[in-house]
Each structure stands twice: as structure tokens, then as C-alpha cells.
Amino acid sequence: GAVVSQHPSWVICKSGTSVKIECRSLDFQATTMFWYRQFPKQSLMLMATSNEGSKATYEQGVEKDKFLINHASLTLSTLTVTSAHPEDSSFYICSASGTGSTLAKNIQYFGAGTRLSVL
Amino acid sequence: GQSLEQPSEVTAVEGAIVQINCTYQTSGFYGLSWYQQHDGGAPTFLSYNALDGLEETGRFSSFLSRSDSYGYLLLQELQMKDSASYFCAVRVYNAGNMLTFGGGTRLMVKP
């Protein structure tokens, strides 16, 4: 089945530093990747959608200069939280959808998430 | 935009059957998905309905009524491991595979 790897799974950083989160599709070509933020016991809030080779589309209220997204290849997207502050502490999850002979359509495959704690 | 409503919490006992409802309001509706998420884990795909009717996959089934803007997830022969959050999510036309998620239903299965 389709596998999406997200790294790191957990990161603690000091306020003001930047943190990069990687999302890789391991066995399929991810034409589209999505980045979500999730607070405890709440739903997944879409932050941005990225298509390989083009600029990400950010949801309303998400600062694109704060959350830098790069989707440079069909298997890798990165989210960089720049100048992180305690209010950025959250669970960040990526997902991917794409094409392939064994890949089901209409499905997003999720990474395991990254728990970010900013001190 | 889209909005989805589902109950925040449901409790059931092992071996029972539970139904989690989802109503949605959206324009350009394309399909309804269900995802399961255990605490601290990744959401995993359960089912997808684009047409009216029931889709069955093992102990889980999902139903859609497009005319009623309504769907449900049915879990049979509940097991303790089914304790998790369940999210319905809508897909709309001209948005690719982008999903809008409901608030999630926390299912607690008791012995």
C-alpha cells in the first residue's frame, strides 16, 4: 500500500528558531501534498496544498512567510516553520495523493505527524 | 465553503454496533470519505462514497445519501482497538483530492 513518511516525529526547539519537517511518499508519485495542523482533540485544519513544481496554495489565515512549503519533487515536500514561537506548538501532519497503477484514487495518505513544541 | 457536522463523542460496548452520522453543507459535492485516527497517530483511510448507497468493507460500512447531504459510518462487532476518533471529510469538484474535515467523533469502546 501507499506509504508516506514524515520526519521528525517530535521536535523541541527554542523560540525564534526555524524547524523543517519533511514528508516523503515512499512508493508512489505524490502529485499533490497537503499540510495540516491539529490541536489536541480537534479536527485537522488544512494549512496549504502544494503541487510538485509550483507554489503552494495557502488557506485563509495561514501566513505563507511563516510556514514555508517546498514541493520540489514528486516524492518530497517540506514545511519550514520560521522563527517559531510557543503559539506555533502543535501537531503537524502531511498527506499525499497521486497516481499509480496500484494507488487508489480519491484518497489522501497521511504521514505519522510531527509534534512541535516551542519553548 | 463547506461545513460538516458529526457528534463529538460516542460510547459503546464491545461487540455492539455503532453508527456515526455526518451531515454536510457544500456546493459542488463530489464525495464523502471517512478516516480513523488513534490518539497521537496518523489518520488512516476507511472508506469513500461518491454515489448513494452502502459500501461495506469488513466490519465497517459507510453510507451516503446525496439528496439528504448525509452519510454515516457503521462499525459492527466493536473491539477495544476501535476506540479512536473518526472524521468524515468532503471532496468537492475542481479541488482535486483536497478534503475538508468534520470535527471528528471520539468513539470509546468499553468492555
Side-chain angles (χ1 to χ4, degrees):
Chain A
V3 177
V4 174
S5 173
Q6 186 172 342
H7 178 80
S9 58
W10 184 53
V11 59
I12 301 175
C13 69
K14 293 182 178 179
S15 185
T17 60
S18 294
V19 174
K20 179 183 282 188
I21 303 170
E22 292 188 351
C23 183
R24 295 180 183 272
S25 57
L26 298 186
D27 53 359
F28 67 100
Q29 293 186 328
T31 50
T32 307
M33 285 188 169
F34 305 88
W35 287 95
Y36 295 86
R37 184 172 180 176
Q38 186 178 35
F39 291 103
K41 298 186 179 181
Q42 293 189 22
S43 188
L44 292 87
M45 299 302 297
L46 181 66
M47 298 174 66
T49 303
S50 72
N51 294 295
E52 183 265 339
S54 60
K55 290 184 178 180
T57 301
Y58 289 81
E59 295 300 299
Q60 193 172 8
V62 178
E63 298 176 58
K64 61 181 181 182
D65 295 329
K66 173 77 172 175
F67 299 99
L68 300 178
I69 292 172
N70 184 283
H71 191 167
S73 77
L74 282 171
T75 60
L76 174 64
S77 177
T78 60
L79 167 68
T80 301
V81 183
T82 62
S83 186
H85 291 284
E87 58 265 29
D88 298 323
S89 298
S90 189
F91 191 52
Y92 293 88
I93 311 176
C94 71
S95 72
S97 63
T99 58
S101 60
T102 60
L103 198 66
K105 297 179 181 179
N106 308 315
I107 294 175
Q108 288 186 23
Y109 297 90
F110 284 82
T114 298
R115 190 161 303 282
L116 171 64
S117 295
V118 184
L119 304 179
Chain B
Q2 298 91 37
S3 69
L4 298 93
E5 287 192 15
Q6 51 181 129
S8 58
E9 284 189 4
V10 173
T11 302
V13 296
E14 262 187 306
I17 299 173
V18 70
Q19 178 174 312
I20 300 174
N21 298 321
C22 175
T23 57
Y24 58 87
Q25 287 187 323
T26 184
S27 56
F29 175 83
Y30 193 89
L32 185 71
S33 301
W34 288 92
Y35 285 79
Q36 178 194 60
Q37 185 184 29
H38 288 95
D39 285 344
T44 56
F45 172 79
L46 293 178
S47 67
Y48 175 74
N49 295 69
L51 302 175
D52 286 353
L54 191 69
E55 296 278 345
E56 298 180 69
T57 308
R59 295 188 296 114
F60 294 0
S61 303
S62 59
F63 172 83
L64 176 66
S65 169
R66 295 175 68 105
S67 60
D68 296 322
S69 297
Y70 162 77
Y72 66 72
L73 179 70
L74 189 73
L75 299 86
Q76 303 182 71
E77 300 174 20
L78 281 175
Q79 302 175 9
M80 297 296 290
K81 67 178 182 180
D82 297 330
S83 294
S85 291
Y86 293 84
F87 295 91
C88 58
V90 294
R91 184 183 169 205
V92 299
Y93 280 98
N94 299 322
N97 280 337
M98 191 173 81
L99 297 172
T100 299
F101 284 82
T105 299
R106 288 184 67 87
L107 171 64
M108 289 176 283
V109 180
K110 297 185 174 181

